Amino acid sequence: MSVSLQVLYPITDGTEFDYDYYLSTHMNLVAEHMGPHIERTLVTKGNAGGPDTPPSIYAIATIVFPDQDAMGAALKSSAPVMADIPNFTNAEPQILIGEVVG
């Protein structure tokens, strides 16, 4: 069964997020170091939290793996990816790992 790793970057007072760096450099690091184990990725930029409501999330990265073993292997090689986070944001990432059910 496919599993997903979602990384959410919440907007809070005093945080910043560099979308250009994130998309052009950070996601390339994800592909380089974790890519052989990844089935697909999706990045969603937060535009709104509802009608007339600003977003509460800068971005959500969804990374899908064929199975738990593939995700484990990818995470073992993710140190350079994790070390890069301060280069594009000072937000504290939130993580959600789950089964892909639909």
mmCIF file of all heavy atoms in Angstrom, residues 68-96:
data_model
loop_
_atom_site.group_PDB
_atom_site.id
_atom_site.type_symbol
_atom_site.label_atom_id
_atom_site.label_comp_id
_atom_site.label_asym_id
_atom_site.label_seq_id
_atom_site.Cartn_x
_atom_site.Cartn_y
_atom_site.Cartn_z
ATOM 1 N N GLN A 68 5.952 1.397 2.810
ATOM 2 C CA GLN A 68 6.653 1.867 4.007
ATOM 3 C C GLN A 68 8.166 1.686 3.892
ATOM 4 O O GLN A 68 8.935 2.530 4.350
ATOM 5 C CB GLN A 68 6.115 1.110 5.232
ATOM 6 C CG GLN A 68 6.609 1.647 6.550
ATOM 7 C CD GLN A 68 5.999 2.982 6.919
ATOM 8 O OE1 GLN A 68 4.839 3.252 6.632
ATOM 9 N NE2 GLN A 68 6.769 3.828 7.563
ATOM 10 N N ASP A 69 8.603 0.572 3.293
ATOM 11 C CA ASP A 69 10.038 0.331 3.145
ATOM 12 C C ASP A 69 10.702 1.396 2.281
ATOM 13 O O ASP A 69 11.806 1.854 2.579
ATOM 14 C CB ASP A 69 10.303 -1.061 2.547
ATOM 15 C CG ASP A 69 9.957 -2.185 3.509
ATOM 16 O OD1 ASP A 69 9.908 -1.938 4.732
ATOM 17 O OD2 ASP A 69 9.734 -3.308 3.034
ATOM 18 N N ALA A 70 10.033 1.810 1.209
ATOM 19 C CA ALA A 70 10.575 2.850 0.331
ATOM 20 C C ALA A 70 10.676 4.172 1.083
ATOM 21 O O ALA A 70 11.668 4.895 0.958
ATOM 22 C CB ALA A 70 9.721 3.001 -0.923
ATOM 23 N N MET A 71 9.660 4.489 1.888
ATOM 24 C CA MET A 71 9.715 5.720 2.659
ATOM 25 C C MET A 71 10.861 5.651 3.669
ATOM 26 O O MET A 71 11.600 6.627 3.838
ATOM 27 C CB MET A 71 8.409 6.007 3.384
ATOM 28 C CG MET A 71 8.441 7.348 4.114
ATOM 29 S SD MET A 71 6.898 7.820 4.901
ATOM 30 C CE MET A 71 6.860 6.645 6.233
ATOM 31 N N GLY A 72 11.028 4.525 4.318
ATOM 32 C CA GLY A 72 12.124 4.371 5.266
ATOM 33 C C GLY A 72 13.478 4.566 4.616
ATOM 34 O O GLY A 72 14.355 5.237 5.170
ATOM 35 N N ALA A 73 13.652 3.993 3.429
ATOM 36 C CA ALA A 73 14.917 4.150 2.698
ATOM 37 C C ALA A 73 15.147 5.606 2.319
ATOM 38 O O ALA A 73 16.264 6.122 2.421
ATOM 39 C CB ALA A 73 14.921 3.259 1.460
ATOM 40 N N ALA A 74 14.089 6.296 1.884
ATOM 41 C CA ALA A 74 14.208 7.707 1.516
ATOM 42 C C ALA A 74 14.582 8.554 2.728
ATOM 43 O O ALA A 74 15.434 9.444 2.642
ATOM 44 C CB ALA A 74 12.907 8.206 0.897
ATOM 45 N N LEU A 75 13.962 8.267 3.860
ATOM 46 C CA LEU A 75 14.250 9.059 5.058
ATOM 47 C C LEU A 75 15.683 8.862 5.536
ATOM 48 O O LEU A 75 16.294 9.790 6.068
ATOM 49 C CB LEU A 75 13.249 8.722 6.165
ATOM 50 C CG LEU A 75 11.810 9.188 5.897
ATOM 51 C CD1 LEU A 75 10.885 8.719 6.994
ATOM 52 C CD2 LEU A 75 11.742 10.695 5.719
ATOM 53 N N LYS A 76 16.232 7.684 5.318
ATOM 54 C CA LYS A 76 17.621 7.432 5.698
ATOM 55 C C LYS A 76 18.595 8.295 4.908
ATOM 56 O O LYS A 76 19.694 8.574 5.370
ATOM 57 C CB LYS A 76 17.967 5.958 5.515
ATOM 58 C CG LYS A 76 17.368 5.067 6.569
ATOM 59 C CD LYS A 76 17.756 3.627 6.355
ATOM 60 C CE LYS A 76 17.092 2.752 7.410
ATOM 61 N NZ LYS A 76 17.375 1.339 7.206
ATOM 62 N N SER A 77 18.193 8.718 3.714
ATOM 63 C CA SER A 77 19.081 9.536 2.877
ATOM 64 C C SER A 77 18.653 11.006 2.843
ATOM 65 O O SER A 77 19.089 11.759 1.984
ATOM 66 C CB SER A 77 19.137 8.961 1.459
ATOM 67 O OG SER A 77 17.851 8.978 0.867
ATOM 68 N N SER A 78 17.820 11.415 3.799
ATOM 69 C CA SER A 78 17.232 12.761 3.754
ATOM 70 C C SER A 78 18.005 13.818 4.536
ATOM 71 O O SER A 78 17.566 14.971 4.585
ATOM 72 C CB SER A 78 15.788 12.719 4.259
ATOM 73 O OG SER A 78 15.757 12.418 5.648
ATOM 74 N N ALA A 79 19.139 13.492 5.128
ATOM 75 C CA ALA A 79 19.866 14.476 5.954
ATOM 76 C C ALA A 79 20.168 15.785 5.206
ATOM 77 O O ALA A 79 19.942 16.873 5.756
ATOM 78 C CB ALA A 79 21.143 13.868 6.525
ATOM 79 N N PRO A 80 20.647 15.740 3.943
ATOM 80 C CA PRO A 80 20.902 17.003 3.238
ATOM 81 C C PRO A 80 19.616 17.808 2.990
ATOM 82 O O PRO A 80 19.647 19.044 2.980
ATOM 83 C CB PRO A 80 21.535 16.569 1.916
ATOM 84 C CG PRO A 80 22.072 15.207 2.179
ATOM 85 C CD PRO A 80 21.140 14.586 3.183
ATOM 86 N N VAL A 81 18.514 17.117 2.811
ATOM 87 C CA VAL A 81 17.221 17.778 2.591
ATOM 88 C C VAL A 81 16.807 18.505 3.872
ATOM 89 O O VAL A 81 16.417 19.677 3.838
ATOM 90 C CB VAL A 81 16.157 16.752 2.161
ATOM 91 C CG1 VAL A 81 14.783 17.393 2.059
ATOM 92 C CG2 VAL A 81 16.545 16.091 0.840
ATOM 93 N N MET A 82 16.901 17.812 4.985
ATOM 94 C CA MET A 82 16.517 18.409 6.263
ATOM 95 C C MET A 82 17.426 19.593 6.617
ATOM 96 O O MET A 82 16.945 20.614 7.110
ATOM 97 C CB MET A 82 16.575 17.350 7.372
ATOM 98 C CG MET A 82 15.656 16.168 7.132
ATOM 99 S SD MET A 82 13.935 16.632 6.981
ATOM 100 C CE MET A 82 13.598 17.082 8.656
ATOM 101 N N ALA A 83 18.711 19.470 6.341
ATOM 102 C CA ALA A 83 19.661 20.537 6.651
ATOM 103 C C ALA A 83 19.408 21.791 5.824
ATOM 104 O O ALA A 83 19.814 22.895 6.215
ATOM 105 C CB ALA A 83 21.090 20.048 6.430
ATOM 106 N N ASP A 84 18.725 21.647 4.701
ATOM 107 C CA ASP A 84 18.466 22.773 3.800
ATOM 108 C C ASP A 84 17.278 23.631 4.229
ATOM 109 O O ASP A 84 17.137 24.761 3.762
ATOM 110 C CB ASP A 84 18.240 22.238 2.377
ATOM 111 C CG ASP A 84 18.127 23.335 1.352
ATOM 112 O OD1 ASP A 84 19.054 24.173 1.272
ATOM 113 O OD2 ASP A 84 17.103 23.368 0.629
ATOM 114 N N ILE A 85 16.431 23.160 5.111
ATOM 115 C CA ILE A 85 15.203 23.871 5.473
ATOM 116 C C ILE A 85 15.462 25.320 5.903
ATOM 117 O O ILE A 85 14.763 26.229 5.440
ATOM 118 C CB ILE A 85 14.395 23.088 6.533
ATOM 119 C CG1 ILE A 85 13.839 21.805 5.895
ATOM 120 C CG2 ILE A 85 13.261 23.933 7.113
ATOM 121 C CD1 ILE A 85 13.200 20.837 6.878
ATOM 122 N N PRO A 86 16.451 25.607 6.746
ATOM 123 C CA PRO A 86 16.668 27.010 7.139
ATOM 124 C C PRO A 86 17.044 27.938 5.984
ATOM 125 O O PRO A 86 16.985 29.157 6.136
ATOM 126 C CB PRO A 86 17.822 26.926 8.152
ATOM 127 C CG PRO A 86 17.789 25.523 8.656
ATOM 128 C CD PRO A 86 17.307 24.690 7.492
ATOM 129 N N ASN A 87 17.387 27.385 4.828
ATOM 130 C CA ASN A 87 17.725 28.223 3.677
ATOM 131 C C ASN A 87 16.500 28.840 3.004
ATOM 132 O O ASN A 87 16.645 29.762 2.194
ATOM 133 C CB ASN A 87 18.532 27.422 2.656
ATOM 134 C CG ASN A 87 19.904 27.078 3.179
ATOM 135 O OD1 ASN A 87 20.522 27.862 3.890
ATOM 136 N ND2 ASN A 87 20.380 25.892 2.840
ATOM 137 N N PHE A 88 15.295 28.325 3.306
ATOM 138 C CA PHE A 88 14.106 28.898 2.664
ATOM 139 C C PHE A 88 12.999 29.293 3.637
ATOM 140 O O PHE A 88 12.063 29.990 3.253
ATOM 141 C CB PHE A 88 13.540 27.962 1.577
ATOM 142 C CG PHE A 88 13.051 26.637 2.081
ATOM 143 C CD1 PHE A 88 11.751 26.463 2.513
ATOM 144 C CD2 PHE A 88 13.909 25.552 2.113
ATOM 145 C CE1 PHE A 88 11.315 25.238 2.967
ATOM 146 C CE2 PHE A 88 13.483 24.318 2.555
ATOM 147 C CZ PHE A 88 12.176 24.160 2.995
ATOM 148 N N THR A 89 13.088 28.866 4.897
ATOM 149 C CA THR A 89 12.043 29.262 5.843
ATOM 150 C C THR A 89 12.547 29.191 7.271
ATOM 151 O O THR A 89 13.465 28.421 7.587
ATOM 152 C CB THR A 89 10.781 28.377 5.706
ATOM 153 O OG1 THR A 89 9.719 28.942 6.482
ATOM 154 C CG2 THR A 89 11.037 26.942 6.153
ATOM 155 N N ASN A 90 11.919 29.992 8.119
ATOM 156 C CA ASN A 90 12.138 29.882 9.552
ATOM 157 C C ASN A 90 10.887 29.332 10.240
ATOM 158 O O ASN A 90 10.793 29.324 11.462
ATOM 159 C CB ASN A 90 12.565 31.224 10.154
ATOM 160 C CG ASN A 90 11.536 32.317 9.946
ATOM 161 O OD1 ASN A 90 10.606 32.183 9.140
ATOM 162 N ND2 ASN A 90 11.708 33.425 10.646
ATOM 163 N N ALA A 91 9.924 28.884 9.439
ATOM 164 C CA ALA A 91 8.722 28.240 9.976
ATOM 165 C C ALA A 91 9.084 26.830 10.448
ATOM 166 O O ALA A 91 9.955 26.180 9.868
ATOM 167 C CB ALA A 91 7.634 28.174 8.907
ATOM 168 N N GLU A 92 8.428 26.364 11.483
ATOM 169 C CA GLU A 92 8.644 25.013 12.005
ATOM 170 C C GLU A 92 7.759 24.041 11.217
ATOM 171 O O GLU A 92 6.532 24.075 11.328
ATOM 172 C CB GLU A 92 8.280 24.966 13.489
ATOM 173 C CG GLU A 92 8.577 23.653 14.155
ATOM 174 C CD GLU A 92 10.068 23.391 14.294
ATOM 175 O OE1 GLU A 92 10.836 24.352 14.461
ATOM 176 O OE2 GLU A 92 10.451 22.212 14.231
ATOM 177 N N PRO A 93 8.359 23.175 10.395
ATOM 178 C CA PRO A 93 7.553 22.253 9.588
ATOM 179 C C PRO A 93 6.754 21.287 10.456
ATOM 180 O O PRO A 93 7.206 20.877 11.529
ATOM 181 C CB PRO A 93 8.586 21.485 8.760
ATOM 182 C CG PRO A 93 9.853 22.250 8.876
ATOM 183 C CD PRO A 93 9.789 23.012 10.160
ATOM 184 N N GLN A 94 5.571 20.959 9.980
ATOM 185 C CA GLN A 94 4.743 19.928 10.600
ATOM 186 C C GLN A 94 4.720 18.736 9.656
ATOM 187 O O GLN A 94 4.704 18.911 8.430
ATOM 188 C CB GLN A 94 3.329 20.432 10.841
ATOM 189 C CG GLN A 94 3.269 21.596 11.800
ATOM 190 C CD GLN A 94 1.866 22.144 11.948
ATOM 191 O OE1 GLN A 94 0.918 21.707 11.300
ATOM 192 N NE2 GLN A 94 1.708 23.119 12.825
ATOM 193 N N ILE A 95 4.703 17.529 10.199
ATOM 194 C CA ILE A 95 4.775 16.314 9.401
ATOM 195 C C ILE A 95 3.522 15.478 9.602
ATOM 196 O O ILE A 95 3.028 15.351 10.722
ATOM 197 C CB ILE A 95 6.001 15.464 9.819
ATOM 198 C CG1 ILE A 95 7.281 16.285 9.791
ATOM 199 C CG2 ILE A 95 6.107 14.199 8.995
ATOM 200 C CD1 ILE A 95 7.728 16.728 8.430
ATOM 201 N N LEU A 96 3.024 14.911 8.511
ATOM 202 C CA LEU A 96 1.944 13.937 8.565
ATOM 203 C C LEU A 96 2.327 12.760 7.694
ATOM 204 O O LEU A 96 2.620 12.924 6.493
ATOM 205 C CB LEU A 96 0.625 14.538 8.054
ATOM 206 C CG LEU A 96 -0.546 13.564 7.950
ATOM 207 C CD1 LEU A 96 -0.958 13.039 9.310
ATOM 208 C CD2 LEU A 96 -1.723 14.211 7.238
#
